[in-house]
């Protein structure tokens, strides 16, 4: 049996999934899991597709273990548990593909060097994505590896949606709006096609609301505009990121408050958003359950900002036919969905309370002018499918 592994290596976690190639040439999800709390006390949990546990372990005193060391342990464990499968390739989520990479790519030394040069544009993600590629290359030098980019889905959006109002020379050297969460949006577009082909052909805004959060305006399943821009810092308020910010604030922090570039970086990426405004947590569940006014204000600001950006993307599309919620908050948090949709009632959008509480796929109220859906995302599946397609195109 042949198999493909997808890896999504982030700052504090490594998510992985194993897909087995069936006789019809389709990839079937066989197992998946993640290593969490890297840098604190790493733990590994993996499950088979039927939900049964495959492994659970913790690295006590493992705070110093690097991604590479943990991947080595994961490899050793996986080799014993592949149950006769032969891994054909590993596909990776790579956050930034820059100007050049508009589709998944087989990784070689040149590609890796180009991706490395993009690290300053995605400091929270890109270095960890590439560390995983390098770790796998050291462990299995002959195993094909494929990079799947979060920017690729947005590559062909209209020129105007990719331009910042800066001098042309900066645009030409790559200071432009790229957009992210593309693997998630591509998966959503594909699922929507299967669930409601007519809606998929129309104007849909997908809301990927997780620790990282963004919206994507799609017309006929293609990205037309999105809230993230040059970096994954732009747009919505997030768990620890500020989202759209008056650039004058950055100047003020540096010139008047004397903050160094590193301190500003840390502030905007890791100390802002839900965490910064609440002073309590970056986790939506914790904040919604918390009674303090600061927690409530953080939640309100998150919803207000998301609804406001939704209005902006509605203008980019010239109207909207559908809203799809996805990712941790979008898939699970009925209260946040309800309050965001209340703010969008001016569009003739309304949801059904019962369907919303049940996270049902279609949560629109009867008569809503905009269809509202909840569709779980699956970036690992998208990575595996792309990886197989790249392998097949090499033959
Ligand atoms: P990441 O961007 O790191 O992949 P996720 O998509 O897992 O993040 O989203 C994390 C967010 O989703 C957190 O704010 C968390 O509170 C929220 N979330 C995850 N699961 C649930 C749930 N079952 N109910 C409510 N909120 C949830």
């Amino acid at each position: 049996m042949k198999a493909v592994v997808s890896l999504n290596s982030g700052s504090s976690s490594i998510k992985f999934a194993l897909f087995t190639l069936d006789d019809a040439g389709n990839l079937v999800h066989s197992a998946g899991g993640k290593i969490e709390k890297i840098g604190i006390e790493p733990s590994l949990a993996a499950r088979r597709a039927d939900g049964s546990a495959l492994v659970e372990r913790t690295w006590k005193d493992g705070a110093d273990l690097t991604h590479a060391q943990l991947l080595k342990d994961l490899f050793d464990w996986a080799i014993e548990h592949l149950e006769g499968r032969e891994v054909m390739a590993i596909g990776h989520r790579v956050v930034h593909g820059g100007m050049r990479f508009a589709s998944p790519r087989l990784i070689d030394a040149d590609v890796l060097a180009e991706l490395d040069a993009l690290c300053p544009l995605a400091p929270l993600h890109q270095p960890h994505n590439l560390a995983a590629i390098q770790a796998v290359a050291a462990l299995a030098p002959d195993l094909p590896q494929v990079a799947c980019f979060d920017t690729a889905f947005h590559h062909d959006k209209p020129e105007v949606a990719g331009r910042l109002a800066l001098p042309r020379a900066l645009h030409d050297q790559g200071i432009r709006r790229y957009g992210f969460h593309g693997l998630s949006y591509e998966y959503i577009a594909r699922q929507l096609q299967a669930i409601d082909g007519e809606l998929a052909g129309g104007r849909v805004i997908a809301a990927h609301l997780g620790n990282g959060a963004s919206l994507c305006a799609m017309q006929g399943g293609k990205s037309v505009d999105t809230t993230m821009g040059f970096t994954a810092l732009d747009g919505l308020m997030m768990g620890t990121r500020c989202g759209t910010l008056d650039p004058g604030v950055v100047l003020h922090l540096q010139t008047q408050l004397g903050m160094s570039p590193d301190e500003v970086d840390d502030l905007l990426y890791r100390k802002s958003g839900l965490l910064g405004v609440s002073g309590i947590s970056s986790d939506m569940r914790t904040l919604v359950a918390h009674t303090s006014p600061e927690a409530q204000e953080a939640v309100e600001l998150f919803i207000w900002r998301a609804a406001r950006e939704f209005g902006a993307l509605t203008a980019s599309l010239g109207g909207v036919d559908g809203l799809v919620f996805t990712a941790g908050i979008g898939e699970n948090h009925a209260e946040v969905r309800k309050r965001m949709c209340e703010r969008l009632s001016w569009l003739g959008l309304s949801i059904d309370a019962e369907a919303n509480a049940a996270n049902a796929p279609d949560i629109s109220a009867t008569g809503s002018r905009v269809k509202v859906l909840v569709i779980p995302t699956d970036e690992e599946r998208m990575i595996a499918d792309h990886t197989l397609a790249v392998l097949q195109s090499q033959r």
Side-chain angles (χ1 to χ4, degrees), residues 15 208-212 282-285 327-329 332-333:
K15 295 183 195 159
H208 179 110
L209 308 179
N211 277 321
S282 62
D283 190 287
M284 184 59 91
R285 256 179 304 192
I329 298 170
N332 300 296
H333 231 298

Side-chain angles (χ1 to χ4, degrees), residues 330-334 337 354-363 374:
E331 289 166 28
N332 300 296
H333 231 298
R337 288 195 302 258
E354 240 174 70
N356 185 42
N359 302 326
D362 186 348
I363 62 169
V374 178

